[in-house]
Amino acid sequence: MTPSTNIADLRKSYEKAELSESASHPDPLKQFDQWLQEAIRSEVPEPNAMTLATVGHDLRPSTRVVLIKGLDERGIVWYTNYQSRKGQDLAGNPFAALQFHWVELERVVRIEGVVEKVSDEESDAYFHSRPLDSRIGAWASPQSEVIEGRSVLVANAAKYGAQFLLRPPRPPHWGGYRLKPEQWQFWQGRKSRLHDRLRYTAQADGGWLRERLAP
């Protein structure tokens, strides 16, 4: 079957911005926050969406999109079902990678590091800030498990909605993860495929080694 569009011919010239050593922050967290804020101000679709990559006990990688919900010097936080595939992967192998792709700004950020659960207090605080439907949904969805149909989710939501009314507690199988970055990469698209690519690697003294990589 011949596709209606030849995907090998799809090309784009990247010419919006540049990324130099002199103009970038020596601290990758500050560089990331600057780019994230610019993505938010530019109203790119879901600037907080990131791809999370994990590796399971079978050594097979898996990716999915999650939403960043916290950022500070301790790392990057998201929330999910601990019994999901990603939760099971992280229980056996706590190393993971994140990627942000802000297409409209021609930018990519890649982050690698070790992952740990956030405290119960942090998970409780975020859970109770969520809309009621989302809190019920955390109970209703046996994430990553096979179900017979959508009716299972609807029935579970009705069941837990009736049980908890307006005050559902945080499920014991639901909470936050924090990735502590050990390496960052910032990619800015440039003309002629000569892209800018800066890598930051954590050092033993707490600082960061910043290096330019060939694209």
Side-chain angles (χ1 to χ4, degrees):
M1 183 176 67
T2 302
S4 57
T5 300
N6 188 345
I7 60 174
D9 291 335
L10 295 177
R11 292 182 177 85
K12 173 180 171 58
S13 181
Y14 300 99
E15 302 179 15
K16 286 186 178 293
E18 63 182 44
L19 178 63
S20 67
E21 289 83 345
S22 61
S24 62
H25 289 285
D27 182 343
L29 179 65
K30 293 181 179 179
Q31 179 64 39
F32 175 74
D33 186 59
Q34 175 184 319
W35 273 19
L36 176 60
Q37 296 306 318
E38 289 177 4
I40 294 171
R41 290 195 297 271
S42 298
E43 298 183 343
V44 304
E46 295 204 90
N48 55 334
M50 57 186 184
T51 299
L52 165 65
T54 58
V55 175
H57 64 86
D58 57 1
L59 302 184
R60 290 179 177 269
S62 177
T63 65
R64 72 288 289 164
V65 176
V66 296
L67 302 179
I68 182 175
K69 291 298 180 180
L71 171 69
D72 59 27
E73 66 282 352
R74 296 172 298 170
I76 294 175
V77 174
W78 68 94
Y79 292 86
T80 190
N81 187 315
Y82 289 143
Q83 297 174 351
S84 63
R85 179 176 177 180
K86 55 187 170 294
Q88 294 177 32
D89 285 356
L90 291 170
N93 177 11
F95 295 95
L98 300 170
Q99 178 171 289
F100 292 82
H101 187 192
W102 297 309
V103 178
E104 292 77 6
L105 301 180
E106 302 173 354
R107 289 174 174 173
V108 174
V109 180
R110 296 164 54 188
I111 313 159
E112 299 176 16
V114 64
V115 178
E116 62 184 9
K117 291 180 179 179
V118 306
S119 68
D120 288 342
E121 291 75 16
E122 289 177 271
S123 290
D124 286 340
Y126 176 70
F127 182 80
H128 292 297
S129 74
R130 305 179 84 206
L132 178 60
D133 287 351
S134 296
R135 283 177 279 155
I136 294 297
W139 283 95
S141 175
Q143 194 173 109
S144 300
E145 294 184 13
V146 175
I147 58 176
E148 293 182 359
R150 184 172 178 81
S151 60
V152 173
L153 300 178
V154 175
N156 284 349
K159 169 188 171 183
Y160 289 112
Q163 179 179 340
F164 296 126
L165 300 178
L166 300 178
R167 300 179 63 86
R170 177 174 65 89
H173 57 265
W174 191 98
Y177 287 105
R178 175 178 288 108
L179 182 142
K180 181 179 180 181
E182 297 175 345
Q183 185 182 114
W184 300 73
Q185 286 194 36
F186 295 85
W187 181 95
Q188 176 69 62
R190 297 294 300 276
K191 190 175 181 180
S192 302
R193 295 299 186 264
L194 300 179
H195 311 302
D196 290 327
R197 187 177 170 196
L198 297 183
R199 178 178 67 187
Y200 295 73
T201 306
Q203 303 297 289
D205 62 2
W208 294 90
L209 173 63
R210 180 176 51 189
E211 301 170 298
R212 177 172 287 267
L213 302 181

